[in-house]
Structure formats: C-alpha cells, structure tokens
Amino acid sequence: MPKRRLIPHRRWDSCLPLQPKNWVKIMKIAMIGTGYVGLVTGACLAKIGHEIICVDHDDTKVVALRGGTIPIYEPGLDNVVAEAIGKGQLSFTADLAQAVESVDVVFIAVGTPQASDGRSDLSQIETAAKQIAKSANGDKLVVVKSTVPVGTCRRVGRILGKHGGSHSFRVASNPEFLREGNAVSDFMQPDRIVYGSNTAEAEAVMDEIYAQFEADNVPMVKTTLETSELIKYSANAFLAAKVAFINEMANLCDATGANVEDLSLGIGLDERIGKAFLKPGPGYGGSCFPKDTLALTILAQEADSPSRIIESVVDSNSNHIRRLGRKIADFCADSWGEERANPLIDKRIAVLGLAFKANTDDIRSAASTVIAPLLIKQGASVIGFDPEATQAAEAVIDHIETTTDIDTALTGADAVVVLTEWDVIKAIEWAEKRPLLNAPVVIDLRNLYAPERMAELEYHYLSLGRPNPA
Ligand code: UGA
C-alpha cells in the first residue's frame, strides 16, 4: 500500500482553499479515460500531491497531452496540467496494463453516453473493468467516477471478480460534481465529497485520497455504493428541476406582466430554496442534465418507483425550447411587420453563442442545436458566433455559417438571437452595433441586457419573463 512521506511546503493557487499541509500520503492512481471528467480529476488529484497516470486508448491524444495540449476548452486546466507534468506528478499513457500494474488504485472515468433507448450505455465501463481485471498484478481498489445507474458498481465488482484471477478487488463509487467552465475551482473548492464503498478497506483508501479536503472541513458523505450512485443522479435532476421551474415561471411572468428577476430573488433569498440555478434561459443543455434526467426516469420506472416529477422536468425542458422556437419566429415577424406565412424566408439571423453555456466549447444538447436548425428549416440563413464552439457547431448543424467575430455575425442581420451568456456577448454595446444591423431586432434568451436600455435605443427587444417598458 502507498507509503506516507513528507513533501515540501507547496505554493497553492488562490482557488485552492485547502491549508497547505506539510504532509500528505501520496497515492499512486491510474485514471482510465481522459475525457472531461478523467482529465480534470486526474490533473487536480495530481495538483493536490498524488501521482496520477492517465490512460487513453487514443495514442494521438496521449502524445498531445504529454506535450500539455488540452483537447477541451476549460479555463485554468492547461496550467494545472502543465504544472503537474512539470513536477512529475501527472503522466499519460495508452498502455492500460502498464498503468494498472504500477498503482493500487484505478479510477474509471470513461463515457456513459445515452443509448438510443435513453439508458446509459455502460459498454465502456464494462470494457475498462475487464481490462483492469486482466492487467491486475495484485489487489486493487477500483473507483467508478463516471456517472452510472444504481447497481453499476456492483456489476463492476462482478466483472473484476470474474476476470481477475486470484486477485481481490474492492470497489468504490465517487461521483463528480464539477461544472464545465468552472471545473478546476469546483474540484478545489467542493461543496462536498461523496463516496460509497463495499468495504471498510475501500473507504479507508478513499479517506487517504481526499484526506486534505477532510482536514480542511469539506463535508464528506461516506455511504454505500448504491446511495453514492443515486446521489449523483438526484443532484443533477434536482438542479435540472430548478432550471425547468424557473423557465416555466418566466413564461408565466410573460403571461401576467410579472418580472422573473424579482421573482428569482424573492424566492431564492429563502435559504431553503437558494438563489443558484434560478436564471431563465433556453432550457438546460450539456452532456449531463438531459442525459441524466432521462436515465433517472428510466431507472425509477424499472425499479417500479416512477418519478413523475423528473418525467415532468424532462417534458418541460423539451417543450420550453420548442416554444421558444415559435416565439422567435413570431417576434421577428411582428418586429419586421411581416405578414407572410413564412416570415423567415431569405432573412439573415445572427445567433450569438453556440455552446450550451459560457466558458465551454461543448455544444452537446445546446440550444443552438435546436434553434438554429429550426430557423434554417423556415428559410432563414443563420450565422452563428461563438468564441470557442464554432468548429463543434459546424460539425452538427447543417448549413450554418459560423464566425468568431461578433461584428461579422451582426453585419446585415435581420434579427439577433442570444443563446449563450459569454462575457463578450454580455458586453455588447448595442448603440454601437446598430449601424451593422439590417433591422434592430434582438431576442435575448439569457436576459443579458436591460430592457429599459434596449427600449431607449429603439430596439425591438424580447427577453424571458421581463416586461418591456411601456
Ligand atoms: C452539471 C452540474 O451542475 C455539475 O454539478 C455536474 O457535475 C455536471 O452537470 C455533470 O454531471 O458532469 P454542467 O453540465 O457543466 O454541470 O452545467 P451547469 O452549469 O450545471 O448547467 C447545465 C444547464 O443548465 C446549462 O444549459 C445552463 O445554461 C442551464 N442553466 C443553469 C440555466 O439555464 N439556468 C441556471 O440558472 C443554471
């Protein structure tokens, strides 16, 4: 098992709340999968002093990572990776067997994408478990970091037992709660750390891995495998429910003349509700909420304990974005004074923000992937602006033109649709941009601008749940 050794006092980044320790038990850990979760977790565990070897079957990616090239856009991650490589605490390999042999703890952080039936596709988890078992040269703790349905860790345990010869394996579940775009600071300043395990020995090793956080009074939730797996789904489903709820309230505000910003504040100041995740938008997207809410509804149905609440959240979110698609077309037609049956034909629409939220290049289940095709289908030509996600968007949205320059997007536009809350989009000064536009029509699905200011500038301005001044 890992040796305890003294390490010198280190410089800690400002985002790290942990008090510097002059001790840490260095754990040697293999991280299978260098996707978003694996790479961030691996790099951050290295940053807190452990020795991490990240494994990916993609040789080209491994070579790039060794050179410090990060395949995703995640603020601050490049520095963490470079620093950890420099200190010799983080390395990359395509050789899973060699990585497994050299450690006592193996994290599985591979993808669990949505299968066509809405369930999580666990094939990568199963493959990783088999490979770990076959490569094992001794007893190992296997930690499932990927988001997985309840029961998966036990299944991993069975696979390990079946293929692992005489070696014995312990299993732990350790869900991650990192947000894309904030991942490094979320790791360093967690609200809590959750792990579930099947033995006291497994829990003791997890305690060592996260010892520094516990010493700094980060709340630790140590529980069973099943509970830990379900905590992850429940957290995402609850947050998704808050977003869906506030989007419905924004629609109700529009219908009644109330103001959703005051409403969010008015309810969010109640500590039992909390202010976070009460910003209306074009519906939740990304690689987690849509997939995890759906997977949870299936899990609940199969357990003969259906969750009507989460089923409604899923419906509410998909209705919301479709409704917004119709609203955009109607608002454009009214603003232009168009009475044609198909008002969008031959119009040029600038879509500002293609990523599912700011500070990421991820467009999975992004509003842009629904709204842009809807506009294009109705005859509009769409130019999408995004600082990081243009390439990804071009790969999945047919006939979209993209740019990383806001003025290019706005030039000649008959309407502007704001979908992502990037700072650079928030900072647009609409008085200056007016001459570029063919018509002063702005549909702001992130509530980034003051309705009073937009009225003063004589824009036709639509936002969510906020009345325009009379
Ligand atoms: C989410 C969770 O927040 C993380 O805790 C979790 O670790 C992660 O999923 C995961 O399971 O891996 P993420 O998908 O990065 O993180 O994005 P969020 O910041 O949670 O936003 C999700 C969606 O909700 C986005 O489309 C965002 O625009 C939307 N949202 C969020 C709103 O529309 N309004 C809000 O007030 C907050």
Side-chain angles (χ1 to χ4, degrees):
M1 289 308 276
K3 291 188 276 314
R4 189 179 291 274
R5 71 171 147 100
L6 291 178
I7 60 166
H9 189 88
R10 279 172 280 152
R11 188 181 63 78
W12 298 83
D13 283 352
S14 56
C15 67
L16 192 62
L18 305 177
Q19 293 309 306
K21 306 283 181 295
N22 62 358
W23 62 268
V24 69
K25 184 170 178 179
I26 309 274
M27 308 293 288
K28 289 186 82 178
I29 299 171
M31 182 70 61
I32 314 288
T34 60
Y36 177 76
V37 172
L39 186 56
V40 172
T41 310
C44 290
L45 285 174
K47 185 178 172 67
I48 63 166
H50 298 306
E51 286 177 19
I52 311 296
I53 177 157
C54 288
V55 183
D56 203 290
H57 54 71
D58 180 344
D59 281 311
T60 322
K61 197 172 173 187
V62 167
V63 172
L65 283 165
R66 279 183 188 146
T69 305
I70 310 294
I72 50 172
Y73 176 77
E74 181 60 44
L77 183 59
D78 47 359
N79 289 336
V80 178
V81 169
E83 198 180 301
I85 293 175
K87 285 181 179 165
Q89 282 171 282
L90 180 65
S91 58
F92 297 92
T93 182
D95 188 341
L96 184 142
Q98 179 237 316
V100 169
E101 279 171 22
S102 64
V103 300
D104 301 302
V105 183
V106 185
F107 275 61
I108 300 181
V110 295
T112 52
Q114 189 172 307
S116 52
D117 60 3
R119 290 178 173 78
S120 297
D121 174 355
L122 299 177
S123 54
Q124 293 181 54
I125 297 267
E126 288 168 0
T127 305
K130 265 184 219 158
Q131 288 173 330
I132 293 166
K134 288 183 176 162
S135 315
N137 54 341
D139 301 348
K140 310 276 172 192
L141 170 66
V142 175
V143 184
V144 178
K145 193 76 184 154
S146 312
T147 300
V148 291
V150 178
T152 307
C153 287
R154 299 247 174 228
R155 194 155 142 193
V156 165
R158 286 194 294 276
I159 295 173
L160 291 166
K162 184 171 165 197
H163 298 275
S166 59
H167 304 303
S168 85
F169 297 91
R170 299 196 169 92
V171 180
S173 155
N174 176 213
E176 60 84 24
F177 302 103
L178 311 174
R179 288 163 300 170
E180 291 187 23
N182 285 287
V184 174
S185 53
D186 281 352
F187 186 95
M188 296 302 178
Q189 302 176 328
D191 291 336
R192 79 302 204 185
I193 290 173
V194 173
Y195 42 86
S197 50
N198 58 355
T199 61
E201 291 86 347
E203 186 174 303
V205 179
M206 296 305 290
D207 288 348
E208 296 287 3
I209 294 172
Y210 289 111
Q212 298 179 60
F213 291 92
E214 190 159 18
D216 276 282
N217 298 320
V218 171
M220 312 295 283
V221 180
K222 303 174 190 181
T223 181
T224 63
L225 292 171
E226 289 74 13
T227 312
S228 172
E229 291 169 327
L230 195 53
I231 284 172
K232 170 65 190 180
Y233 276 116
S234 308
N236 274 1
F238 197 89
L239 291 169
K242 280 188 100 173
V243 175
F245 176 83
I246 204 64
N247 284 335
E248 288 192 359
M249 288 304 111
N251 291 338
L252 194 53
C253 286
D254 279 332
T256 57
N259 185 317
V260 75
E261 277 174 357
D262 294 345
L263 183 143
S264 287
L265 189 65
I267 63 172
L269 284 170
D270 183 329
E271 281 182 10
R272 293 169 302 173
I273 297 173
K275 284 187 280 187
F277 276 69
L278 288 178
K279 285 204 185 80
Y284 60 75
S287 63
C288 306
F289 284 6
K291 170 172 84 80
D292 295 349
T293 45
L294 194 59
L296 184 57
T297 62
I298 294 172
L299 184 81
Q301 279 159 15
E302 288 179 348
D304 202 18
S305 181
S307 170
R308 299 288 177 236
I309 292 177
I310 305 307
E311 286 169 12
S312 306
V313 167
V314 172
D315 282 351
S316 169
N317 197 56
S318 42
N319 289 339
H320 181 63
I321 187 101
R322 279 201 296 271
R323 194 166 188 256
L324 288 176
R326 290 194 297 274
K327 215 168 166 180
I328 292 170
D330 291 348
F331 186 76
C332 285
D334 284 352
S335 306
W336 298 326
E338 271 281 1
E339 285 174 9
R340 283 186 295 163
N342 297 317
L344 299 188
I345 287 180
D346 297 332
K347 299 290 188 184
R348 181 172 176 82
I349 301 191
V351 169
L352 301 187
L354 301 167
F356 82 95
K357 65 173 186 176
N359 300 322
T360 177
D361 57 358
D362 196 342
I363 62 148
R364 284 175 287 179
S365 298
S368 64
T369 63
V370 178
I371 297 290
L374 266 178
L375 300 174
I376 291 167
K377 199 169 158 204
Q378 292 174 73
S381 66
V382 171
I383 176 156
F385 159 82
D386 198 284
E388 297 294 336
T390 50
Q391 257 185 315
E394 275 183 18
V396 300
I397 306 173
D398 288 340
H399 311 297
I400 193 170
E401 191 188 328
T402 66
T403 175
T404 52
D405 177 60
I406 290 187
D407 286 358
T408 306
L410 296 182
T411 301
D414 294 293
V416 180
V417 179
V418 174
L419 292 183
T420 315
E421 72 285 20
W422 284 102
D423 282 346
V424 66
I425 298 176
K426 271 186 213 164
I428 292 175
E429 183 38 77
W430 287 102
E432 280 168 23
K433 301 302 180 193
R434 177 64 190 90
L436 298 177
L437 299 167
N438 201 32
V441 180
V442 173
I443 296 137
D444 171 10
L445 302 186
R446 291 286 183 175
N447 287 359
L448 300 186
Y449 316 109
E452 298 71 24
R453 175 73 180 146
M454 297 304 274
E456 230 173 76
L457 296 173
E458 299 184 351
Y459 272 86
H460 296 270
Y461 179 65
L462 179 73
S463 60
L464 299 172
R466 301 186 305 171
N468 278 329

